[in-house]
Amino acid sequence: MESLQTRLHRQLEPTAWPGDGVSVINKLVLALVSLSLLVAIFETEPYIRTAAPDTLLALKAFFAVTFTFEYLMRLWAAGAMPQYAGLRGKWRYFWTPISALDFTAAAFLWLEILSPIHGTLGVLFRLARILRIFSLVRNSKWSRALRLMGSAIKARYIELILSLCLAVIALALSATALYLVEKDIQPDAFGSVPRSMWWAVATLSTVGYGDVYPITALGKVIAGISALTAIAIVGIPAGIMAAAFSDAFQKFRNQDSAAQK
Amino acid sequence: MESLQTRLHRQLEPTAWPGDGVSVINKLVLALVSLSLLVAIFETEPYIRTAAPDTLLALKAFFAVTFTFEYLMRLWAAGAMPQYAGLRGKWRYFWTPISALDFTAAAFLWLEILSPIHGTLGVLFRLARILRIFSLVRNSKWSRALRLMGSAIKARYIELILSLCLAVIALALSATALYLVEKDIQPDAFGSVPRSMWWAVATLSTVGYGDVYPITALGKVIAGISALTAIAIVGIPAGIMAAAFSDAFQKFRNQDSAAQK
Amino acid sequence: MESLQTRLHRQLEPTAWPGDGVSVINKLVLALVSLSLLVAIFETEPYIRTAAPDTLLALKAFFAVTFTFEYLMRLWAAGAMPQYAGLRGKWRYFWTPISALDFTAAAFLWLEILSPIHGTLGVLFRLARILRIFSLVRNSKWSRALRLMGSAIKARYIELILSLCLAVIALALSATALYLVEKDIQPDAFGSVPRSMWWAVATLSTVGYGDVYPITALGKVIAGISALTAIAIVGIPAGIMAAAFSDAFQKFRNQDSAAQK
Amino acid sequence: MESLQTRLHRQLEPTAWPGDGVSVINKLVLALVSLSLLVAIFETEPYIRTAAPDTLLALKAFFAVTFTFEYLMRLWAAGAMPQYAGLRGKWRYFWTPISALDFTAAAFLWLEILSPIHGTLGVLFRLARILRIFSLVRNSKWSRALRLMGSAIKARYIELILSLCLAVIALALSATALYLVEKDIQPDAFGSVPRSMWWAVATLSTVGYGDVYPITALGKVIAGISALTAIAIVGIPAGIMAAAFSDAFQKFRNQDSAAQK
C-alpha cells in the first residue's frame, strides 16, 4: 500500500502528477495564490485600507498560515523523491529555486503582517507571487502551450526586431517633424524631440490621449500623414505576434491529436 | 387539402418551414420585434418621452396587440404538431421555453402600458426581446453560421484563455508600474493599483480617453514602452476571434456547396 | 489612313483604348478632375475664399472652359461609333448616363461661376465629380481590381452582416449597461440609451475622444470589461474586409499571369 | 601572411566580410552611430542643454574624433581593393556615395562643435546619420530581409494604392458630411472641408485626440456610422503591409534553409 507521503507528493509536485492538467490540491493552491494577488492589488487602494483594515489583516493572516502549512507539506512530501529523502535531502530541497520561491513568498506574508512594508519594495514582493502561478502549472498543457509560444516567437526574432526598428524609426521621424514645425508655438509639448516623442507614441499607437496635438495647419497635415502611414508600420509587430501565437497553437493541436492516437 | 392550421404552423414555426431561411410571416415578426426594440431604446431618452408621449403609447399599444395576436396564433398553430394537439397539448406547449419567452414578452408589453416600470428592471425586460430574434432565426443559415462560430471559438478556448491571461498580466504590470511612479504626484488617478488599472485599460485597448495620463518624464517613458509592447499582446484575442470567424465560415461555405451537389 | 475622329475616339473612350491602362488624354483629364476636386475642397475654407477670390475664380473658369471643350470633343468623337454617328446619334449619345454625367459636371461649373451656390447642394454637386474619376478608369486594371473586390465582398455578405449584427449587439449592451449605472450621475452623457450609444461607439471603435467616460468605480469596471471584450468583436468586420481584399487581389494576380502566357 | 590593410578592409567593408552578419568593428561603429543619434535627439531638449552643456560637448568631441579616425581607417583600408589602390584610387574612393556620406557625417560633427547650428538644418544633418546605419548592415541578413520586404511591397503596389484611394475617399466623405452638418455650430472645427479633415483623420485612424468632435445628435450619428464603417477601410493598408511582411519573411526563411543544405 502507498504511503501518505507518496500520495501527497503526487498531489503537490506538478511533475509527479500522473493525470493531465493540474492536481486537485494544486488547483486549490492556484486559486488561493490568485486570491492573495487580488487582495494585494486591492490593498494598495487607500479607501479600502482605511475602510476594512481588520478584514485585510484577517485575510493576510489566513494566507500566511495556509501558505506556511502548504510549504511544510511540500517540504515533507519532497522526501518521497530519493534525492530529497532524509534531513540532508530536505536541506537540499530547501535550496532548490522553486522551494526558495515558495519559502520567500510565505516569509514575506508574515513580514507584511508583523511590519507592513508599503512602497515599491512591498509591491514588488507581492507581485513576485505571479511566478508561483507559473511554477504550479509547469507540467500542464498550459505550460506546454506557453513553451510552444516562446519558441514560435524565438523563430521570428529577426522579423520582430526589424519591425520594431521600423516602428522606432517611424516614431523618431514623426517626432522630429512635429518638433521642427511646432517647437516655437507649443514649447511645452513639442519643444524638443524627446518631448515630441510622447505625442508620437500616443499618436502612432492610436491611443491619442489628447493632452498634446498639433495646432498649426502644417503640423496637422504632417500629423495626419504620419499617423495614417505609420499606423500600418506600428501594427506589424502585433501581426507577427498574432501569427506566432497561431503557429504555436497549430503545433499544440497537432501534438495533442498525435498523442491521442 | 391542407388545413389553415397546418399552413400557419409551417409559417410560424421556424423548424417546420420547408424553404431556406425565414418564412414571410416570421420575417414580418422579426421586423416588428426589431422595431419594438428600437422604440424601447429611444424611449429611455427623456427628451423623446416628454415630446411625444402619445406616439410612444400608441406604438406600444400597437406592439402589445400585435404580439398578443401573434402569440395566440402560435398557440393555435402549435396544435398541428401531434404532441401539442388538444387542450392538454396547448397546456404543454404553453410551458415550452420558447412559448414562455413569447408569452412573457407580450405580457410585459401590457404591463409597460398599464403601469410603466422605469429603471433597471424595465430596461432588462425590454432587452430580453433580443432573445426572441434568436428564437425566430433558429433554423435558418444565420443560426447555422452562429452555431459554427460557437464551435470554432470552443475549439480555441485554450488559446483564448491563455491570451486573455497574458493581456491581464500586461494590464496588471502596466498599472503597477505607473502606480509606483506617479502615486504621489497624481493620487486621484494613480493612487492605487485598481485606480491605475483604469488608465491601463484605456491605454492598452488604445481607447485613450485622456482623462488620466502620466505627467512625469519617467511615467511617460514607462507608459510609452508598455503601450507599444502591450498593444501587440492585447491584440492577440482579437486575432484569435477573427481566425475562429474565418474558420467557421470556411466550413459554412463547404457545407453549402456540398448541399448543392 | 485613320481619321482624326477615330483617333480621338480611341483616346477619349476608355472602352475603345487598345493599350493597357488609361490613354494619355484621359490621364490628363483625370489629373484635371482630381485638381478641380481639390480646389472644390479648399474653396469651402472661408480663409482661402476671402484671401484669394480671384485665383479661385480663375481656376474655376479654367476648369469650366476645359471641361466644356472636353465634352464637345467627346460628343464629336462619339461619332466614330456607328450607333452614335450623325446628328441623331449625337442626340442618343447625349442621353447616355456617362455623357449626362460629363455634361452636368461641366454645366454646374458654369453655374458655380455665374451664381455661386454655397451650402449643401453646391458641395454635393462638386463631390459628384468623384464619379467622373470612376467613369474614366472603367476599362483599366484599376477598375477590374475594384470589380473583383466587389465580388469578393459580395461572396462574404453573410459573414459581414452577422459580424455587423454582433458589433451592434455589443454596442447596444455596452450602452445599456452604462446607462443603467451612470444615468443619474452623468445625465447629459448617459441619461438615455441613445446618449450612451455615443460613448459606446467612441469606446468600442477605440477612438476614445474623451468627452464622455464613466466616473463611478462600477462604471469604469463595466467600461473596461466591455471595451476589452467588444474590441475583439468590433474588429471582426475589419478582418473580413481585409480577407476579401486579399482574396480579390490573389485572383487579380492569377488573371494577370494567365493573360501573360 | 596577410597585411594589416587587408585584414582591416575585411573588418570595415561590409561586402568584404566573409562571415555571416556584421563584423566586430562594424558592430562597434553601429553602436557608436546609434549612441550619437541618441545624443543628437536628447540635445534638442533645452533642459538637458542647459543642465549639462559640458557633457554634451565632451560626447560630441568624442564622436567627432572617433568618426574621423574611423573615416581615415576606411580610406586607408579601401586601398586593399585594386580599384582604390594608390593616391588616385583614394581620390576615387573619396567620391563614392558611401565614403561621401561618412565624410559628411564626420565633417558635420566638427561643424556642430565649432559653430553649433540649431534649427531645422542642424536637426536634418543629425538625422542623416540614420543612413549610415543602413550602409553598415548592407551585406547582412538584416539588409537582405529589408530588400525582400521592399520587393514584397512593390509586388502589391496596386493593392496599396487602391486601398489608400479608398481610405482617402472615406476620409473625404466623412469630412464633407460633418462639414455639412456642423459647419455653423462649430465653425472653428468644421467650418470647411479641410478643417473637418483633421477630425476625420483623428477619427478614422482611431487616434481620437478629443480636441474636436461633433456635438449635434445628427453629427454624432453620422460620426458613429462613418467611424465604424471607415475603420474597416482604413485598416486595409495595414493588413496589406502585414501580409507583405509575412511573405517576405517566408521567402527569407526558405532561402536560409536552402542555403544551409
Side-chain angles (χ1 to χ4, degrees):
Chain A
M1 220 206 87
E2 241 180 4
S3 74
L4 180 69
Q5 198 188 32
T6 314
R7 264 150 57 198
L8 199 65
H9 171 66
R10 218 190 294 124
Q11 279 281 331
L12 287 172
E13 174 55 37
T15 54
W17 181 243
D20 210 37
V22 177
S23 71
V24 181
I25 291 189
N26 275 340
K27 267 184 190 158
L28 195 77
V29 174
L30 214 51
L32 283 174
V33 169
S34 305
L35 203 71
S36 80
L37 249 169
L38 222 66
V39 169
I41 282 174
F42 279 103
E43 202 196 345
T44 60
E45 172 62 49
Y47 181 78
I48 293 174
R49 224 153 47 208
T50 54
D54 297 339
T55 316
L56 275 179
L57 195 70
L59 274 166
K60 275 151 83 174
F62 167 72
F63 289 133
V65 169
T66 313
F67 291 145
T68 307
F69 178 74
E70 183 220 343
Y71 182 70
L72 293 174
M73 285 298 100
R74 280 184 194 280
L75 198 61
W76 178 61
M81 286 182 278
Q83 70 267 40
Y84 299 134
L87 217 68
R88 273 235 168 139
K90 299 257 132 87
W91 184 246
R92 233 179 283 128
Y93 177 75
F94 179 81
W95 289 106
T96 58
I98 281 171
S99 155
L101 182 68
D102 289 0
F103 180 82
T104 321
F108 275 127
L109 264 168
W110 285 111
L111 214 70
E112 277 179 42
I113 296 169
L114 301 176
S115 66
I117 339 159
H118 292 300
T120 313
L121 216 67
V123 172
L124 293 181
F125 283 158
R126 285 170 182 90
L127 263 181
R129 250 169 268 164
I130 285 182
L131 295 174
R132 286 219 57 194
I133 294 178
F134 288 117
S135 89
L136 285 168
V137 300
R138 75 178 181 278
N139 207 37
S140 69
K141 60 186 167 185
W142 301 98
S143 138
R144 189 153 55 86
L146 262 182
R147 267 195 304 273
L148 279 172
M149 244 195 74
S151 60
I153 290 173
K154 218 183 280 169
R156 286 154 195 267
Y157 82 99
I158 288 200
E159 283 165 83
L160 264 179
I161 291 179
L162 208 67
S163 64
L164 284 175
C165 284
L166 283 181
V168 166
I169 289 174
L171 279 169
L173 291 183
S174 297
T176 306
L178 256 98
Y179 157 71
L180 291 176
V181 172
E182 304 229 337
K183 66 174 182 282
D184 300 322
I185 295 149
Q186 300 196 76
D188 274 350
F190 297 104
S192 72
V193 175
R195 286 180 200 193
S196 290
M197 217 70 166
W198 174 242
W199 164 84
V201 166
T203 300
L204 301 193
S205 66
T206 77
V207 170
Y209 291 118
D211 55 338
V212 285
Y213 46 83
I215 51 172
T216 63
L218 184 59
K220 286 179 175 181
V221 169
I222 290 175
I225 293 171
S226 89
L228 288 175
T229 55
I231 284 165
I233 289 166
V234 173
I236 293 174
I240 295 171
M241 284 294 290
F245 217 88
S246 156
D247 271 21
F249 279 92
Q250 200 51 50
K251 219 176 253 174
F252 179 79
R253 273 190 287 259
N254 289 350
Q255 285 183 6
D256 249 30
S257 59
Q260 277 163 11
K261 272 172 200 166
Chain B
M1 221 207 86
E2 241 180 5
S3 74
L4 181 68
Q5 197 188 32
T6 315
R7 264 150 58 198
L8 200 64
H9 172 64
R10 217 190 295 124
Q11 279 282 331
L12 286 174
E13 173 57 36
T15 54
W17 180 242
D20 210 37
V22 178
S23 71
V24 181
I25 291 189
N26 275 340
K27 267 185 191 157
L28 194 76
V29 174
L30 214 52
L32 284 173
V33 170
S34 306
L35 204 70
S36 81
L37 250 169
L38 223 66
V39 169
I41 282 174
F42 279 104
E43 202 196 345
T44 60
E45 172 61 50
Y47 180 78
I48 293 174
R49 222 150 49 205
T50 54
D54 298 338
T55 316
L56 277 177
L57 196 69
L59 275 167
K60 275 151 83 172
F62 167 72
F63 289 132
V65 170
T66 313
F67 291 144
T68 307
F69 179 73
E70 183 220 341
Y71 182 71
L72 294 174
M73 284 300 101
R74 280 184 195 281
L75 199 60
W76 178 62
M81 287 182 277
Q83 71 265 41
Y84 300 134
L87 217 67
R88 273 238 168 133
K90 298 259 135 79
W91 185 245
R92 231 178 286 128
Y93 177 76
F94 179 80
W95 289 106
T96 59
I98 281 173
S99 155
L101 182 67
D102 290 0
F103 180 83
T104 321
F108 276 127
L109 264 167
W110 285 112
L111 214 71
E112 277 178 43
I113 295 168
L114 301 175
S115 66
I117 338 156
H118 292 301
T120 312
L121 216 66
V123 172
L124 293 181
F125 284 158
R126 285 171 184 90
L127 263 181
R129 249 169 268 164
I130 285 183
L131 295 174
R132 286 218 59 195
I133 294 179
F134 289 116
S135 88
L136 284 168
V137 299
R138 75 178 182 279
N139 207 38
S140 69
K141 60 186 167 183
W142 301 98
S143 138
R144 189 154 54 87
L146 261 182
R147 268 195 304 273
L148 279 173
M149 244 195 73
S151 60
I153 290 172
K154 219 184 278 168
R156 287 153 195 267
Y157 82 100
I158 289 200
E159 283 165 83
L160 266 179
I161 291 178
L162 208 66
S163 64
L164 284 175
C165 284
L166 284 179
V168 167
I169 289 174
L171 279 168
L173 291 183
S174 298
T176 306
L178 256 99
Y179 157 70
L180 292 177
V181 172
E182 305 229 338
K183 66 173 182 284
D184 300 321
I185 296 150
Q186 300 196 79
D188 274 350
F190 297 105
S192 72
V193 175
R195 286 180 200 192
S196 289
M197 217 71 165
W198 174 242
W199 164 83
V201 166
T203 300
L204 302 193
S205 66
T206 78
V207 170
Y209 292 119
D211 54 338
V212 284
Y213 46 83
I215 51 172
T216 63
L218 183 59
K220 285 179 176 180
V221 169
I222 291 174
I225 293 170
S226 90
L228 288 175
T229 55
I231 284 164
I233 290 166
V234 173
I236 293 174
I240 294 171
M241 285 293 290
F245 217 87
S246 156
D247 271 21
F249 279 93
Q250 200 51 50
K251 219 176 252 175
F252 179 79
R253 272 191 288 260
N254 289 349
Q255 285 183 5
D256 249 32
S257 59
Q260 277 163 11
K261 273 172 202 168
Chain C
M1 221 206 86
E2 241 179 5
S3 74
L4 181 69
Q5 198 189 31
T6 315
R7 264 148 60 196
L8 200 64
H9 172 65
R10 216 189 295 124
Q11 279 282 331
L12 286 173
E13 174 56 37
T15 55
W17 180 242
D20 210 39
V22 178
S23 71
V24 181
I25 290 188
N26 274 340
K27 268 184 190 157
L28 195 77
V29 173
L30 215 54
L32 283 173
V33 170
S34 307
L35 204 71
S36 80
L37 251 169
L38 223 67
V39 169
I41 282 174
F42 280 104
E43 203 196 344
T44 60
E45 171 62 49
Y47 180 78
I48 292 173
R49 222 150 49 206
T50 54
D54 297 339
T55 315
L56 277 178
L57 196 70
L59 275 167
K60 275 152 83 174
F62 167 71
F63 289 133
V65 170
T66 312
F67 291 145
T68 307
F69 179 74
E70 182 220 342
Y71 181 71
L72 294 174
M73 284 299 101
R74 280 186 195 280
L75 198 61
W76 178 61
M81 287 182 277
Q83 70 266 41
Y84 299 134
L87 219 67
R88 273 234 166 138
K90 298 259 134 84
W91 184 246
R92 232 178 285 128
Y93 177 76
F94 178 82
W95 289 105
T96 58
I98 282 172
S99 155
L101 183 67
D102 290 0
F103 179 83
T104 322
F108 276 126
L109 264 166
W110 285 112
L111 214 69
E112 277 179 42
I113 295 169
L114 300 175
S115 66
I117 338 157
H118 293 299
T120 313
L121 216 68
V123 172
L124 293 181
F125 284 158
R126 284 170 183 93
L127 263 181
R129 250 169 268 165
I130 285 182
L131 295 173
R132 285 219 59 195
I133 293 179
F134 289 117
S135 88
L136 284 169
V137 300
R138 76 179 181 278
N139 206 38
S140 68
K141 59 186 167 184
W142 301 98
S143 139
R144 189 154 54 87
L146 262 180
R147 268 194 304 271
L148 280 172
M149 245 196 73
S151 60
I153 289 172
K154 218 183 281 169
R156 286 153 194 267
Y157 83 99
I158 289 200
E159 284 166 82
L160 265 179
I161 291 178
L162 208 67
S163 64
L164 284 175
C165 285
L166 284 180
V168 166
I169 289 173
L171 279 169
L173 291 183
S174 298
T176 306
L178 256 99
Y179 157 70
L180 292 176
V181 173
E182 305 231 337
K183 66 174 181 284
D184 300 322
I185 296 150
Q186 300 196 79
D188 274 350
F190 297 104
S192 73
V193 175
R195 286 180 200 192
S196 288
M197 216 70 166
W198 174 240
W199 164 83
V201 166
T203 300
L204 302 193
S205 67
T206 77
V207 169
Y209 291 118
D211 55 338
V212 284
Y213 46 83
I215 51 172
T216 62
L218 183 60
K220 285 180 176 180
V221 168
I222 291 174
I225 293 170
S226 89
L228 288 175
T229 55
I231 284 164
I233 289 165
V234 174
I236 292 173
I240 293 170
M241 285 294 290
F245 216 88
S246 156
D247 271 20
F249 279 93
Q250 200 52 50
K251 218 175 252 175
F252 179 78
R253 273 190 288 260
N254 290 350
Q255 285 183 4
D256 248 30
S257 59
Q260 277 164 10
K261 271 172 202 166
Chain D
M1 221 206 87
E2 239 179 6
S3 74
L4 181 68
Q5 198 189 31
T6 314
R7 264 147 61 196
L8 200 64
H9 172 66
R10 216 190 293 122
Q11 279 281 331
L12 286 173
E13 174 56 37
T15 54
W17 180 243
D20 210 38
V22 178
S23 71
V24 181
I25 291 188
N26 275 340
K27 268 184 189 156
L28 195 77
V29 173
L30 214 52
L32 283 174
V33 169
S34 305
L35 204 71
S36 80
L37 251 170
L38 222 68
V39 169
I41 282 173
F42 279 104
E43 203 195 343
T44 60
E45 172 63 49
Y47 181 79
I48 292 174
R49 224 153 46 208
T50 54
D54 297 340
T55 316
L56 276 179
L57 196 71
L59 275 167
K60 275 152 83 174
F62 167 71
F63 289 133
V65 169
T66 313
F67 290 145
T68 307
F69 179 72
E70 183 220 342
Y71 181 71
L72 293 174
M73 284 299 100
R74 279 185 196 280
L75 197 62
W76 179 61
M81 287 183 277
Q83 71 267 40
Y84 298 134
L87 217 69
R88 273 233 167 139
K90 295 253 133 96
W91 184 245
R92 233 177 285 127
Y93 177 76
F94 178 82
W95 289 105
T96 58
I98 282 171
S99 154
L101 182 68
D102 290 0
F103 180 82
T104 321
F108 275 126
L109 264 167
W110 285 111
L111 214 70
E112 277 179 40
I113 296 169
L114 301 176
S115 66
I117 339 158
H118 293 300
T120 312
L121 216 67
V123 172
L124 293 181
F125 283 158
R126 285 170 183 91
L127 264 180
R129 250 170 267 165
I130 285 182
L131 295 173
R132 286 220 57 195
I133 294 178
F134 289 117
S135 88
L136 284 168
V137 299
R138 76 179 181 278
N139 207 39
S140 70
K141 60 187 167 185
W142 301 98
S143 138
R144 190 153 55 86
L146 263 181
R147 268 195 304 271
L148 279 172
M149 245 195 73
S151 60
I153 290 173
K154 218 182 281 169
R156 287 153 194 267
Y157 83 99
I158 289 199
E159 282 166 84
L160 265 178
I161 291 178
L162 207 67
S163 63
L164 284 175
C165 284
L166 283 180
V168 166
I169 289 173
L171 280 169
L173 291 182
S174 298
T176 305
L178 257 98
Y179 157 71
L180 292 176
V181 173
E182 304 230 338
K183 67 173 182 283
D184 299 322
I185 295 149
Q186 300 195 78
D188 275 349
F190 297 104
S192 73
V193 176
R195 286 181 199 192
S196 289
M197 216 70 165
W198 174 241
W199 165 83
V201 166
T203 300
L204 302 193
S205 66
T206 78
V207 169
Y209 292 118
D211 54 338
V212 285
Y213 47 83
I215 51 173
T216 62
L218 183 59
K220 286 179 176 181
V221 169
I222 291 174
I225 293 170
S226 89
L228 288 175
T229 55
I231 284 164
I233 290 165
V234 174
I236 292 174
I240 295 171
M241 284 294 289
F245 217 87
S246 155
D247 272 21
F249 279 93
Q250 200 51 49
K251 219 176 253 175
F252 179 78
R253 273 191 287 261
N254 290 349
Q255 285 183 5
D256 249 31
S257 59
Q260 276 163 12
K261 272 171 200 168

